Amino acid sequence: MFAVVLALVLALTGCASNGPNWAPVSDRSAGATGASATAGASAAVTPLPGAENAGKPGYYTVRPGDTIMRIGLDTGQSWRDLARWNNLADPNVIEVGQVLRVIPPAGESVAVAKPVTSSSVVPVTPAPAAGASAPKAPAVAAIAPNPAPAPIPTPAPGSDDDISWAWPTRGGSLLAGFDEAKNKGIDIGGKAGDPVLAAADGRVVYAGAGLRGYGNLVILKHNNMYLTAYAHNQTLLVKEDQTVRKGQEIAKMGSSDADRVKLHFEIRRQGKPVDPTKYLPPR
């Protein structure tokens, strides 16, 4: 009996002496967890592209909901230029907090090609943007006749402000006036298929349906100062990088991403919306 008890004690002692052999496995697990946490902390503090330029003039910090198209419109630049200046492999992938250059690099100017008459125009009807929501019907308030807008200062000849503007439609009533907070342009009524015209000579920097709330959209760049936007079209008649002349038909009026047929027209000076009626000639 004593021999049996002694054998059991020796066996238990042997098991206890083997216990530390598991310690390295447990330590490796803990070490891996620690390394992972350290790597995670390192990744968390890794600065986003362009962070060193945050707050500097000519740079823009990406905010929630931004797209390269929206940033281009708000800064008065072509989204293609923004993608090139910031070496964006995929312009659709930008991160909140990322800092983007929104002015040309030193020594580079944004050229606006001189318009040429297009020999043929091929209608382009872009597909709706992926994930775009159904159009929401904004309330359209009755517009009282506005007094004649105050004239803007006469621009110096040859300056970027020296543009000969024209109305983007051949008729139609004013449905909604400019309001910097609620309506960044003017809305002009009409019939589906009515011509939408270039308000000045320029180059097409966007033609598509990738900007929510604008439907089928054309954006023209006129010089380093001015962009114009033409929204809610039924059909687009121009393509990106095409040059156009003032009065050239660039789209057909429609109701894409809108509650009714209309043209939403914007003039942006250095990306900031301005009242088009202060620039357009009297009708």
Side-chain angles (χ1 to χ4, degrees):
M1 183 66 177
F2 176 79
V4 173
V5 172
L6 179 61
L8 288 173
V9 170
L10 291 174
L12 292 172
T13 303
C15 291
S17 66
N18 289 335
N21 290 335
W22 292 99
V25 176
S26 177
D27 287 347
R28 284 196 295 270
S29 174
T33 302
S36 175
T38 301
S42 175
V45 298
T46 299
L48 290 167
E52 68 278 8
N53 296 314
K56 294 181 182 178
Y59 291 86
Y60 176 88
T61 301
V62 177
R63 297 175 295 186
D66 277 342
T67 64
I68 197 72
M69 264 300 307
R70 172 69 66 178
I71 295 170
L73 185 60
D74 288 344
T75 58
Q77 303 292 2
S78 162
W79 69 269
R80 292 183 184 275
D81 288 335
L82 295 181
R84 188 177 74 257
W85 297 339
N86 294 281
N87 298 314
L88 301 180
D90 184 351
N92 293 314
V93 180
I94 54 177
E95 300 179 71
V96 173
Q98 182 175 353
V99 180
L100 301 176
R101 172 186 284 277
V102 294
I103 58 172
E108 179 181 337
S109 62
V110 181
V112 179
K114 292 183 179 180
V116 295
T117 303
S118 175
S119 58
S120 62
V121 176
V122 180
V124 179
T125 305
S133 61
K136 295 181 180 179
V140 179
I143 305 298
N146 291 326
I152 59 174
T154 302
S159 70
D160 281 341
D161 281 305
D162 186 18
I163 293 180
S164 174
W165 296 101
W167 281 80
T169 62
R170 292 176 182 152
S173 58
L174 186 66
L175 302 176
F178 177 79
D179 182 318
E180 191 169 353
K182 299 178 181 179
N183 192 33
K184 299 183 185 300
I186 58 175
D187 295 344
I188 305 171
K191 303 187 299 296
D194 279 354
V196 174
L197 313 173
D201 295 349
R203 176 171 62 94
V204 181
V205 294
Y206 184 74
L211 195 58
R212 175 177 282 186
Y214 284 81
N216 295 333
L217 171 69
V218 175
I219 300 176
L220 301 182
K221 189 173 184 70
H222 304 287
N223 55 31
N224 292 331
M225 189 80 72
Y226 287 98
L227 293 177
T228 50
Y230 311 74
H232 305 310
N233 300 291
Q234 179 184 80
T235 305
L236 306 184
L237 303 178
V238 291
K239 298 180 180 179
E240 288 183 21
D241 289 328
Q242 181 177 334
T243 54
V244 298
R245 288 192 180 276
K246 180 176 72 172
Q248 180 177 331
E249 185 174 0
I250 58 174
K252 298 286 188 183
M253 192 182 294
S255 58
S256 56
D257 211 356
D259 62 315
R260 59 167 295 169
V261 173
K262 63 182 177 182
L263 171 67
H264 175 74
F265 174 68
E266 296 182 9
I267 296 179
R268 296 209 174 205
R269 187 179 189 275
Q270 295 182 320
K272 181 182 179 181
V274 294
D275 186 350
T277 61
K278 293 185 177 181
Y279 290 78
L280 300 172
R283 297 184 80 171

